[in-house]
Amino acid sequence: MGNYSLRYIQLRYWLKSWWQFIKQDSLAPLLDSSARLNFISVFALLIFILPPEGYVAWRGELTNTIRALNAFLYSLPIFIIVNSICSIFKTIKHQERLGIWVGNRFVFHEPIHLKTLLVTSDNNDTPISFTVSEFPTREASVDLIAKIENGFDDRNVRVQFLGRADQPIIWDQYERHNILAFVPENNTFYIATNKPLPSNPTTVKIYLMSWYAPN
């Protein structure tokens, strides 16, 4: 992707949330369980209940059903337009709750949980993949952190992030619970862990703290 201004990237990030709200609100009636029940009830009425009552009753209900379907099709564009307008205000509130722009960096108010791992010594030095969300530009970089749930058997757990699966794993005196790196093309990072033998499962949670738009 080419070099775009920060304002353009911010707009694309905002539009992504806006589009998600439009889809969510527009599909809600179709995904609602009561709406599905009403839809099935109409077919049950036409196929099982009305035929024994005669053709006149059956045709009258079919006509009403067709009218209702036509009304639905006519109102659908208006429904989507109204959802698009309402989604503007939802997106504004969502962005305010989600985080804040500091220069070219978007900092989340609360870390975004990406993955939870249960690791033992069997996972030692084995890269484990996880993905991050798509961002408005391929040149984005992310700030990730791994948090270890401290328990009795979690004192000597070590973790480090990897940019690729074949990256050499080096265990030294430095801790690498954080990483600031460009997002790969497949949006996939890796993490490696190391525990003494033998060991019980340890919970490791991976979070997205912030992301950076290119300067």
Side-chain angles (χ1 to χ4, degrees):
M1 184 175 288
N3 294 324
Y4 295 113
S5 67
L6 176 60
R7 187 175 296 277
Y8 176 80
I9 294 174
Q10 290 173 338
L11 176 61
R12 289 194 60 179
Y13 191 55
W14 189 92
L15 290 175
K16 180 182 177 181
S17 295
W18 179 61
W19 176 242
Q20 291 298 326
F21 279 117
I22 293 175
K23 291 194 298 183
Q24 175 182 316
D25 292 347
S26 298
L27 293 175
L30 301 178
L31 301 177
D32 182 71
S33 58
S34 60
R36 291 197 301 269
L37 178 60
N38 290 334
F39 182 77
I40 295 172
S41 298
V42 170
F43 277 91
L45 184 66
L46 293 172
I47 297 174
F48 301 107
I49 299 175
L50 290 180
E53 297 182 10
Y55 175 75
V56 175
W58 181 86
R59 182 172 180 176
E61 184 61 33
L62 179 62
T63 302
N64 291 335
T65 301
I66 294 175
R67 288 173 178 169
L69 180 59
N70 287 332
F72 170 78
L73 294 176
Y74 278 110
S75 62
L76 185 59
I78 301 175
F79 179 67
I80 294 176
I81 292 173
V82 172
N83 285 339
S84 301
I85 297 173
C86 294
S87 294
I88 294 175
F89 303 100
K90 288 186 176 181
T91 303
I92 293 173
K93 291 183 178 180
H94 172 71
Q95 291 285 309
E96 292 176 349
R97 291 194 301 264
L98 187 63
I100 186 173
W101 281 99
V102 181
N104 69 321
R105 180 187 184 190
F106 187 83
V107 183
F108 296 99
H109 293 312
E110 296 291 337
I112 305 300
H113 176 252
L114 299 178
K115 191 165 187 174
T116 297
L117 307 173
L118 288 177
V119 298
T120 66
S121 55
D122 294 335
N123 301 107
N124 283 356
D125 302 336
T126 301
I128 302 172
S129 65
F130 66 94
T131 59
V132 297
S133 301
E134 293 185 5
F135 295 98
T137 172
R138 276 296 179 189
E139 293 80 11
S141 55
V142 291
D143 177 17
L144 304 172
I145 186 172
K147 295 184 178 181
I148 301 170
E149 298 291 319
N150 292 323
F152 176 77
D153 196 32
D154 303 330
R155 292 167 293 179
N156 299 317
V157 182
R158 305 192 69 185
V159 302
Q160 66 172 282
F161 287 101
L162 307 171
R164 61 184 192 277
D166 59 350
Q167 180 177 325
I169 301 174
I170 302 174
W171 301 108
D172 50 27
Q173 70 271 27
Y174 300 104
E175 297 293 339
R176 297 179 177 87
H177 292 192
N178 296 71
I179 186 174
L180 176 59
F182 288 107
V183 179
E185 290 187 2
N186 60 357
N187 298 326
T188 302
F189 286 94
Y190 298 86
I191 191 170
T193 61
N194 188 276
K195 295 190 65 176
L197 293 169
S199 67
N200 295 317
T202 294
T203 302
V204 179
K205 296 182 179 180
I206 303 171
Y207 295 93
L208 172 65
M209 307 297 292
S210 63
W211 71 276
Y212 293 78
N215 290 320

